Amino acid sequence: MSWNPASVKDATQEARPRTIGPQYIETQRPKVIIVGAGIAGLSLGVLLQMAGTEFRILERVTEFEHAESAIFLNAMTQKFFKQIGALEEIMSHAKLTNSIIVANENRKIEYTLEFNEQVKLFGSNGYIIPRRVLHNILVSRIERQNIVMGKRVLTYIPGNRYVTVKCSTGDLITCDILVGADGVFSAVRQNLYNELDVKGLLPPKDSQDIVLSTVRLVGQTIPLDPEEFPAVKDEYCQFVRIIGDDKPYSDSNKVFANTTFDYSQALSMAREIMDFPIITGGPGEPTMKDFLKYTTTSLKKIVLEEKLFKTWYHGRVVLLGNGNMNPSGGSGATNSIHDAISLANYIVSLPHWCEQKDIDHRFKAYQDERMPWIKEAFESNKLFKGMVEKSLKATMIRLYAKTMTAAVARSAMMKMNSNRPQAAFLEYVPDTGTVPSEYQPSYHFTLEILKARAVEDAEAAARAQEMNDNAANEMSHISPSSPVMTSKSPLTPALAAIAEASAIATARSAANAAAAAASLPKNALETFQNTPSKAKKPVATVV
């Protein structure tokens, strides 16, 4: 399919407010395209769906591919999962964890970082859940037509009032807002940065190469025998870090230039680390070989990168996941979800017919809100990564962790778990721990706008009711045989307005029904392009 930007229809022209009668205005919420169906993209999709915002998620693969790894989550995401109605399902698949064990190559525990007060302080324990399970739970909460598989985004064309996405399949999709949630090597990010670089607006740091810092072997075993692996019987999940002396891949300063999901290369790496010691809670000297023999072909070798991006948006394009962190700190997924919550709040707060200045304001506020937390998590993850390195700095970090007082550990935990954001347009979730949540700008900003909209809606409803009452009073004073009721007699202004609005509404209903019937054989993208958004009124509750 040939690409001609001039041929792209400005679909947003159809979204302009249209006056119908003296009191009625029809409006449309902005349409959003999300590129990437990872944790970040799906979290944003779930929130936009619950807000009644029209969106589509474009995913390049035809079937989801999962790295069979585990995700650590804690109280910082509890409110989000409760708001979307997924908390109970997630906890049914999760296992609680309240400590990090650090041991040496002889399997001797050097120290343990305890997090026993999580429920008291924050209302929730930390827990570990398989990535596949979390991903599937999010997917299950999005209507099927809103996730379009096999759509690899190549580029986008910016416009004054829209942005058009071009896919490898030849599809051209026009939307009001484009969200890049497709990872560090995102096609959206690359095109955005190229656009800014040509304009001389890209910071030098963002144009630098990405550092590949860590290689990981991830996989999932079949269910293990509790007699052979007694630790699986424990109430809490083990989170063990073993510091190797001279084993392959135990030096985190090593950089690996290739990243692959190829099983043969993962198997090759597995052979190199088979003798690495592990702790199972049982006797003997177990090694990674004891895990690997129960691991299926889900085994994958993954190279992970670290970079904190400074540029998050431009025009009608915005990015999710701007801090690619080392996984040692276990906060990557949490921060992706937090990004989605903040961005969803600001998108919902946009006017029905939004100008570029409105979008610029929201995107800047989104970056201003999230950047400090991303920086803090980025540095914290680097610290956790440094704990397993073989350097003087790493030795000092381990010594500090081993000897720090309970008060210091508690203070660090409070700082780590204080940010517990939630969506302003969903039912409010109060704090259940003794430590209050940090102030969340996007929540309060959006809540005030929703409250103002509710007042406007109430006033409009009152005016409409007054008009209907006046019309009914006029009708009650007219006899059926009166000449005023004949088709040739003029109507009063109020009755004329009602008649006009009624006729237009009837015509629109018929047109919508015809369009819905005609669109049945169309695919999800055609439906997205050709049907107007119908915004549900978000429910704002204040406690």
Side-chain angles (χ1 to χ4, degrees):
M1 183 174 182
S2 60
W3 171 239
N4 179 11
S7 66
V8 178
K9 182 180 179 182
D10 186 352
T12 59
Q13 292 294 329
E14 301 175 358
R16 292 183 183 276
R18 292 178 286 169
T19 302
I20 301 174
Q23 302 292 339
Y24 180 72
I25 293 182
E26 180 186 33
T27 57
Q28 176 178 317
R29 299 295 302 152
K31 290 185 176 183
V32 180
I33 286 289
I34 303 168
V35 182
I39 300 300
L42 292 173
S43 298
L44 179 60
V46 170
L47 291 169
L48 293 183
Q49 181 171 282
M50 297 184 78
T53 299
E54 191 81 6
F55 74 98
R56 290 293 185 272
I57 298 176
L58 306 184
E59 173 55 47
R60 64 179 181 83
V61 300
T62 55
E63 293 183 8
F64 287 121
E65 300 174 357
H66 296 280
E68 297 292 357
S69 58
I71 291 180
F72 171 74
L73 298 168
N74 55 24
M76 291 192 290
T77 54
Q78 183 192 35
K79 292 186 177 184
F80 165 74
F81 291 127
K82 191 166 185 178
Q83 283 191 311
I84 68 172
L87 185 59
E88 289 186 7
E89 184 178 1
I90 284 176
M91 296 309 296
S92 70
H93 294 281
K95 193 163 186 180
L96 300 179
T97 179
N98 63 353
S99 65
I100 298 177
I101 299 171
V102 180
N104 58 33
E105 194 169 317
N106 296 321
R107 302 176 185 82
K108 180 181 178 181
I109 297 176
E110 295 192 349
Y111 60 92
T112 301
L113 298 176
E114 299 282 358
F115 310 112
N116 293 320
E117 293 185 286
Q118 293 176 93
V119 174
K120 175 184 175 183
L121 297 175
F122 318 115
S124 172
N125 262 311
Y127 54 94
I128 290 179
I129 185 171
R131 177 178 288 272
R132 176 192 291 270
V133 172
L134 176 60
H135 190 274
N136 289 342
I137 289 174
L138 293 174
V139 168
S140 70
R141 277 162 172 74
I142 297 177
E143 294 176 5
R144 186 171 181 179
Q145 75 273 10
N146 287 335
I147 302 178
V148 186
M149 306 295 289
K151 296 297 178 185
R152 183 166 67 91
V153 171
L154 297 178
T155 187
Y156 68 84
I157 303 298
N160 291 329
R161 295 196 176 277
Y162 64 89
V163 57
T164 301
V165 178
K166 182 183 180 183
C167 299
S168 59
T169 54
D171 294 280
L172 304 177
I173 309 109
T174 303
C175 59
D176 299 286
I177 291 173
L178 173 62
V179 180
D182 45 343
V184 65
F185 299 108
S186 156
V188 177
R189 186 189 303 277
Q190 291 175 8
N191 281 275
L192 176 63
Y193 283 12
N194 287 339
E195 177 189 354
L196 291 172
D197 196 27
V198 170
K199 296 178 179 179
L201 300 176
L202 186 67
K205 184 178 179 181
D206 284 342
S207 62
Q208 295 173 357
D209 292 337
I210 297 170
V211 177
L212 302 175
S213 64
T214 305
V215 64
R216 291 211 163 187
L217 186 70
V218 300
Q220 182 173 317
T221 69
I222 61 175
L224 299 174
D225 181 1
E227 298 305 317
E228 184 178 358
F229 300 92
V232 300
K233 295 184 291 185
D234 293 346
E235 177 185 359
Y236 290 92
C237 182
Q238 276 201 343
F239 196 134
V240 182
R241 311 190 72 182
I242 295 181
I243 303 168
D245 290 335
D246 205 15
K247 292 288 190 296
Y249 300 101
S250 63
D251 183 356
S252 296
N253 287 317
K254 210 170 183 180
V255 176
F256 303 83
N258 64 313
T259 179
T260 178
F261 286 89
D262 183 74
Y263 177 64
S264 62
Q265 292 199 30
L267 204 58
S268 176
M269 179 179 172
R271 294 191 186 100
E272 294 184 73
I273 54 93
M274 277 190 174
D275 294 330
F276 202 93
I278 61 173
I279 296 176
T280 65
E285 297 182 346
T287 65
M288 280 297 298
K289 183 177 180 179
D290 294 289
F291 277 155
L292 292 169
K293 66 184 179 183
Y294 295 116
T295 304
T296 65
T297 54
S298 65
L299 203 63
K300 291 180 174 65
K301 174 185 177 183
I302 300 177
V303 175
L304 302 162
E305 57 284 324
E306 293 179 38
K307 184 161 184 177
L308 181 60
F309 294 95
K310 296 184 66 175
T311 305
W312 291 28
Y313 68 92
H314 182 69
R316 291 177 176 259
V317 181
V318 64
L319 302 170
L320 275 181
N322 294 285
N324 288 78
M325 307 174 193
N326 190 281
S328 298
S331 61
T334 295
N335 279 281
S336 293
I337 292 171
H338 286 187
D339 285 354
I341 296 170
S342 175
L343 185 57
N345 278 333
Y346 284 121
I347 289 176
V348 168
S349 77
L350 282 166
H352 283 21
W353 174 246
C354 53
E355 302 290 341
Q356 185 60 56
K357 63 180 181 179
D358 301 313
I359 293 177
D360 289 341
H361 173 264
R362 271 36 169 215
F363 286 176
K364 182 180 185 302
Y366 155 66
Q367 179 168 342
D368 289 346
E369 176 177 325
R370 292 296 305 139
M371 180 64 90
W373 296 107
I374 292 292
K375 284 182 176 179
E376 186 173 313
F378 190 81
E379 294 303 321
S380 176
N381 282 20
K382 286 174 62 177
L383 186 66
F384 273 101
K385 172 194 170 187
M387 290 175 66
V388 297
E389 294 180 354
K390 293 178 294 183
S391 65
L392 178 60
K393 179 181 178 181
T395 302
M396 297 301 294
I397 292 174
R398 290 195 292 271
L399 180 62
Y400 176 76
K402 186 176 181 178
T403 58
M404 68 178 174
T405 64
V408 172
R410 188 173 186 270
S411 176
M413 184 170 59
M414 290 174 62
K415 184 178 181 181
M416 184 189 308
N417 291 272
S418 62
N419 187 33
R420 304 189 291 277
Q422 57 184 308
F425 48 88
L426 298 178
E427 185 174 355
Y428 176 77
V429 179
D431 288 322
T432 54
T434 59
V435 178
S437 299
E438 285 283 346
Y439 181 82
Q440 183 190 346
S442 65
Y443 177 87
H444 294 280
F445 176 83
T446 302
L447 187 62
E448 288 303 312
I449 288 178
L450 294 180
K451 288 162 64 177
R453 285 181 189 168
V455 171
E456 292 175 0
D457 289 345
E459 292 174 349
R463 289 195 299 268
Q465 184 61 47
E466 182 181 1
M467 177 183 290
N468 289 336
D469 293 343
N470 292 337
N473 290 333
E474 291 189 39
M475 295 290 289
S476 66
H477 291 90
I478 301 174
S479 117
S481 60
S482 170
V484 179
M485 293 301 296
T486 65
S487 59
K488 296 181 181 180
S489 300
L491 298 177
T492 65
L495 291 177
I498 292 174
E500 179 187 3
S502 177
I504 292 175
T506 302
R508 183 180 298 104
S509 297
N512 288 344
S519 68
L520 286 178
K522 294 181 179 180
N523 63 36
L525 291 179
E526 289 175 320
T527 305
F528 176 79
Q529 289 278 75
N530 300 324
T531 59
S533 298
K534 294 182 179 179
K536 300 175 183 177
K537 294 186 186 302
V539 178
T541 57
V542 185
V543 176

